[in-house]
Amino acid sequence: MATCLHYLLVGFLIAITLSIDAASAGITRRYKFDIQLKNITRLCKTKSIVTVNGKFPGPKVTAREGDNLQIKVVNHVSNNISIHWHGIRQLRSGWADGPSYVTQCPIQTRQSYVYNFMVTGQRGTLWWHAHIQWMRATVYGPLIILPKLHQPYPFPKPYKQVPIIFGEWFNADPQTVLQQALQTGGGPNASDAHTFNGLPGPLYNCSTKDTYKLTVKPGKTYLLRLINAALDDELFFTIANHTLTVVEADASYVKPFQTNIVLLGPGQTTNVLLKTKPINPNATFYMLARTYFTGQGVIDNTTVAGILKYQLKPTSNHFNSSKNLPIIKPSLPPINSTSYAANFTKMFRSLANSRFPANVPKTVDKKFFFTVGLGTNPCPKNQTCQGPTNTTKFAASINNVSFILPNKTSLLQAYFSGMSKRVFSTDFPSAPVFPFNYTGLPPNNTNVSKGTKLVVLKYNTTVELVLQGTSILGIEAHPVHLHGFNFYVVGQGFGNFDPTRDPKQYNLVDPVERNTINVPSGGWVAIRFLADNPGVWLMHCHIEIHLSWGLSMAWVVLDGDLPNQMILPPPSDFPKC
């Protein structure tokens, strides 16, 4: 009898262990993205835009930590396309990262490609978007990574989860806007509206019916998954008479803090908890977003509005109408409020606990100092340009190198096939070749050099990178995104980085972990990361016109010695140029 009980107990424990392992192992989730044209009307203007599955914004992709995602993209339009899964680390699967001519050739008309990757050690709000020219103006959507089954959030469980994607709407074709800017050398025309989930809202002409509305119940906690998918604009966001609790940034949990106003640069995500009023307030509330900008040039300084309304209970005779309720309007900081931006950014700290440690490198193998900013290229002969002068075009660079992508292969293909010498060089400068007063009076010569130059890192190198903003052609912030990695933001400040004084103030205890960071307007930011992901990884400003002007570079991370430290071979359906 005792023996039978023993075997029953052992069998029971084995069954529980297997069920737990199965729950944490993850599953394969398959999606299909049909790239197709769709007529969409906004601001009383109907136009044909490129979409995924005819939706604008595109469909939500949902997975759990540990899942395998297989997303088949079929191109039915005349434009080439590629999709980037923004923030996914793509461990050993760089072929699925998505930036055209960096990790793949784009998917051509009537061709398809399956993006196949694991979601490893990540959970939170990310997003996906086109990564070729300005196609991401309409081709984007949320990518939600839920925790493993039975793994709780490190904050109160929300009653409901709501993605809110900030975007931009152009009455013109965004590709035409880009080509005109590149041809004339001037800044691009600004968008005509900002949007919440594709809707401009009531503050624009002919747009009241296209308003995002969030209906909530009293006394509940909502998790708002905020995503800035705008092409060129950093955005302040607020909800009238409501406090938001920030709990996550770029799919990494943070120590919770309260705020009335959130700032997101293009490419960044922020999760906030919205705790609704305990009783119905008999009012509706505006949600607003407006640009933060300190530079020069034309921008979209309009304000997008959505409406937060409380669910009304029916009366004995009829349903109450929210149309008769007052609308409460919030205020936002001035458009150039760098002080607010800096104070808000400093609030972010990692949880840094046993469950979610901050594995910030304490020692550094390689140090880099990169200037990021604008510059000029000379105007072609016999042409009058519309850049800073009529003889120059706008450009952008890192360490005065304006990045040139290949057009007949991708950087990763060239590296993997041993043909890299024909495509790129590995002499990207680790610091400015000609130092200057970066945030002071700009130099007389603002011309940039051009090249396809990369940095090579050995596997498991610990890296410290200081990103220094410049004052050339105006002081402005630059949201810099690193593909293939998360990094820790160990320091930031205004003015020129001081290599003797500033590192003494680094936070190596609980720095925030991100994939996109704002280089402060007129300042610098220091990040650290571990180069533990073999492949070729783009790093660029997520302001789209700056990327188009060349504000990018790429890292080559070599294979390690072990099989699980080597990049996997390309899939059989890999796109051809």
Side-chain angles (χ1 to χ4, degrees):
M1 182 68 177
T3 302
C4 291
L5 287 173
H6 171 76
Y7 282 117
L8 283 172
L9 180 61
V10 170
F12 178 69
L13 293 174
I14 291 175
I16 289 178
T17 302
L18 290 175
S19 66
I20 292 174
D21 288 344
S24 62
I27 62 173
T28 297
R29 299 175 189 257
R30 296 178 175 87
Y31 290 84
K32 185 181 180 186
F33 278 17
D34 285 304
I35 309 299
Q36 56 191 221
L37 296 176
K38 176 77 172 180
N39 285 338
I40 299 290
T41 301
R42 296 289 186 272
L43 309 180
C44 276
K45 181 177 176 61
T46 300
K47 67 172 186 174
S48 181
I49 67 171
V50 179
T51 69
V52 171
N53 301 345
K55 297 181 178 180
F56 172 67
K60 179 173 67 174
V61 173
T62 302
R64 286 194 182 276
E65 179 185 351
D67 283 351
N68 169 225
L69 276 170
Q70 297 180 11
I71 305 170
K72 183 176 183 179
V73 177
V74 185
N75 189 3
H76 302 282
V77 302
S78 59
N79 309 76
N80 289 345
I81 196 76
S82 69
I83 305 293
H84 171 51
W85 316 95
H86 185 111
I88 292 289
R89 289 219 45 205
Q90 300 290 1
L91 290 167
R92 303 175 61 215
S93 59
W95 310 104
D97 191 41
S100 287
Y101 301 110
V102 177
T103 59
Q104 68 167 96
C105 290
I107 305 165
Q108 300 178 30
T109 307
R110 294 184 296 277
Q111 300 297 313
S112 66
Y113 178 46
V114 177
Y115 291 90
N116 185 352
F117 55 90
M118 297 296 298
V119 180
T120 304
Q122 293 182 273
R123 82 293 304 162
T125 301
L126 298 172
W127 63 300
W128 57 263
H129 61 83
H131 211 302
I132 180 170
Q133 297 182 320
W134 280 19
M135 297 290 288
R136 78 172 181 88
T138 58
V139 180
Y140 62 86
L143 172 54
I144 309 303
I145 309 300
L146 301 172
K148 291 182 179 181
L149 281 173
H150 314 303
Q151 293 291 321
Y153 294 113
F155 47 79
K157 183 178 179 180
Y159 170 72
K160 197 172 183 180
Q161 304 181 29
V162 183
I164 303 178
I165 312 179
F166 310 163
E168 290 182 81
W169 173 262
F170 291 80
N171 284 333
D173 177 10
Q175 303 305 314
T176 302
V177 173
L178 169 63
Q179 293 307 319
Q180 181 182 16
L182 295 180
Q183 182 177 358
T184 65
N189 291 333
S191 57
D192 295 281
H194 295 117
T195 58
F196 289 148
N197 290 349
L199 301 172
L203 303 185
Y204 297 97
N205 290 333
C206 192
S207 190
T208 300
K209 68 182 190 317
D210 293 322
T211 299
Y212 174 68
K213 297 177 181 178
L214 175 60
T215 302
V216 297
K217 293 181 178 180
K220 300 292 186 182
T221 298
Y222 292 78
L223 179 65
L224 306 185
R225 298 178 177 270
L226 307 178
I227 302 166
N228 188 353
L231 283 187
D232 294 316
D233 294 335
E234 301 189 56
L235 293 166
F236 292 115
F237 171 80
T238 188
I239 302 177
N241 284 20
H242 287 74
T243 299
L244 305 173
T245 302
V246 177
V247 294
E248 180 194 300
D250 290 353
S252 294
Y253 296 131
V254 299
K255 289 182 171 69
F257 66 91
Q258 291 188 335
T259 183
N260 295 321
I261 300 167
V262 177
L263 174 64
L264 291 90
Q268 291 185 322
T269 67
T270 303
N271 280 6
V272 298
L273 296 177
L274 167 67
K275 191 169 184 179
T276 58
K277 309 291 186 184
I279 59 174
N280 195 314
N282 289 321
T284 56
F285 304 88
Y286 268 146
M287 300 181 283
L288 300 182
R290 188 179 65 202
T291 304
Y292 161 62
F293 181 69
T294 63
Q296 302 176 4
V298 178
I299 62 163
D300 182 349
N301 62 358
T302 62
T303 302
V304 54
I307 293 178
L308 178 77
K309 62 178 184 178
Y310 280 72
Q311 184 171 311
L312 300 175
K313 293 182 179 180
T315 63
S316 57
N317 298 319
H318 60 85
F319 285 90
N320 291 322
S321 174
S322 61
K323 293 181 180 179
N324 299 322
L325 296 177
I327 298 180
I328 310 301
K329 299 179 180 179
S331 59
L332 286 166
I335 195 170
N336 61 350
S337 185
T338 295
S339 59
Y340 186 90
N343 290 333
F344 177 75
T345 302
K346 290 176 182 177
M347 296 293 291
F348 287 84
R349 293 284 186 270
S350 291
L351 288 182
N353 57 27
S354 57
R355 186 177 166 204
F356 300 105
N359 295 316
V360 56
K362 298 296 195 299
T363 59
V364 173
D365 299 320
K366 293 281 188 179
K367 290 187 177 183
F368 298 89
F369 181 83
F370 290 177
T371 57
V372 294
L374 304 185
T376 57
N377 280 321
C379 194
K381 290 182 179 180
N382 302 320
Q383 180 182 338
T384 300
C385 289
Q386 298 174 15
T389 69
N390 60 11
T391 61
T392 58
K393 290 186 169 188
F394 277 105
S397 68
I398 300 178
N399 274 357
N400 207 47
V401 179
S402 189
F403 198 64
I404 304 296
L405 287 171
N407 57 17
K408 295 182 179 179
T409 187
S410 72
L411 299 173
L412 182 57
Q413 286 172 284
Y415 162 68
F416 189 81
S417 61
M419 307 289 284
S420 58
K421 290 184 179 179
R422 300 182 182 181
V423 178
F424 63 85
S425 65
T426 57
D427 58 344
F428 189 89
S430 60
V433 177
F434 300 105
F436 60 98
N437 183 4
Y438 307 113
T439 56
L441 190 67
N444 292 328
N445 183 1
T446 60
N447 285 345
V448 301
S449 64
K450 297 180 181 180
T452 310
K453 300 182 178 184
L454 281 67
V455 173
V456 176
L457 297 172
K458 292 182 179 179
Y459 185 84
N460 263 354
T461 297
T462 54
V463 176
E464 178 179 305
L465 169 62
V466 175
L467 296 165
Q468 172 72 62
T470 77
S471 60
I472 296 175
L473 301 180
I475 294 177
E476 60 183 296
H478 297 278
V480 174
H481 172 49
L482 176 59
H483 290 230
F485 299 93
N486 281 357
F487 51 77
Y488 290 95
V489 183
V490 296
Q492 54 196 315
F494 290 112
N496 297 339
F497 174 75
D498 186 324
T500 302
R501 180 191 65 219
D502 290 327
K504 296 176 182 178
Q505 306 300 319
Y506 281 175
N507 175 10
L508 301 180
V509 177
D510 60 350
V512 67
E513 182 180 0
R514 305 203 69 134
N515 62 59
T516 306
I517 185 63
N518 263 333
V519 180
S521 179
W524 57 270
V525 65
I527 65 173
R528 288 186 179 184
F529 65 95
L530 176 67
D532 60 350
N533 193 7
V536 178
W537 305 106
L538 188 66
M539 188 179 77
H540 63 94
C541 181
H542 223 281
I543 293 175
E544 207 68 10
I545 189 59
H546 293 177
L547 174 59
S548 302
W549 285 338
L551 210 166
S552 60
M553 55 82 65
W555 308 81
V556 180
V557 178
L558 303 177
D559 283 341
D561 296 329
L562 302 177
N564 65 353
Q565 299 173 343
M566 299 178 181
I567 190 170
L568 297 168
S572 59
D573 64 337
F574 196 67
K576 296 178 174 59
C577 283

